[in-house]
Amino acid sequence: MDQHRLMPARRKRRTRAEQKRETRNALIEAGLLTFSRDGYHGASLEEIADTAGFSKGAVYSNFGGKSELFLAVLDYNLSTLRGEHWDPLALAGTAGDALSEQLAGDRNQAEKLVRGFELATLEFITTAARDDALVPALRTRIQTLLDAYKRVVTAHRAPDEELAGDEIAQLMAALEQGVSVLALSGIASIDGSLLRLGMRRLLGDSVGTADRSGHTSLLPTVEQVQRLINDSAAEPEVPE
């Protein structure tokens, strides 16, 4: 018998750069979950590190503090949920096969995570706007959000719409953030169908007025958040 065939495959040793990148990514994902649940001010670096499976020192080895970690989480959120294929006008689940019963059951958790992070972002904005060191970083992220809406405007605006694309993008972003303020105040709650309808009106689309039925999501890419929840529930691999 060939003894070499009985030997297990040798595991490839990760480089320091790979270990650092994996640790950083784990902290970002744990930060998203913790900030969404506890808010920006309520979240602690100890809790984030513990959720990721590391000590608090790992946070400071990768980030300068809570604000820098939050900016990294914000970047992750913008790139994952507001990427080039993001379309806030699309119905949830229309991009592919119908969600399984299990995924449908997790939707409330995913939507709560999305909404929680939006509220945490509002907390961060009010803090960063008073900090001269954070204002440039904040403006960069807001511009990324506006650019995402500008892509939506380019794809969906009515041919006879007189407002400039940048103006419509700003109004759509303001509408979404206004919804978050209403939710934070507890005065009112606007569902995804009404939010989409308002955005369609800004685009000069009067056809979508009947789009008010069925279960909807504030973000059409909520399935990505569901996968994140499932991935984050797995035991993190301890760096070598």
Side-chain angles (χ1 to χ4, degrees), residues 103-133:
L103 282 178
D106 291 340
R107 183 179 293 282
N108 287 339
Q109 183 183 5
E111 289 184 348
K112 185 176 180 180
L113 178 63
V114 171
R115 176 56 62 197
F117 189 72
E118 288 180 347
L119 297 178
T121 300
L122 287 177
E123 289 184 68
F124 177 77
I125 288 174
T126 59
T127 299
R130 296 176 180 270
D131 188 333
D132 291 339

Side-chain angles (χ1 to χ4, degrees), residues 86-92 107-108 111 114-115 118 149 172 175-176 179-180 183 188-201 208-222:
W86 174 65
D87 186 354
L89 304 181
L91 284 169
R107 183 179 293 282
N108 287 339
E111 289 184 348
V114 171
R115 176 56 62 197
E118 288 180 347
Y149 270 114
M172 292 177 75
L175 177 60
E176 180 188 2
V179 168
S180 296
S189 178
I190 296 179
D191 65 19
S193 63
L194 182 56
L195 179 57
R196 283 198 310 277
L197 176 58
M199 290 184 176
R200 287 187 179 279
R201 292 290 182 85
T209 55
D211 178 21
R212 299 297 308 278
S213 61
H215 186 87
T216 57
S217 169
L218 289 172
L219 289 176
T221 50
V222 73

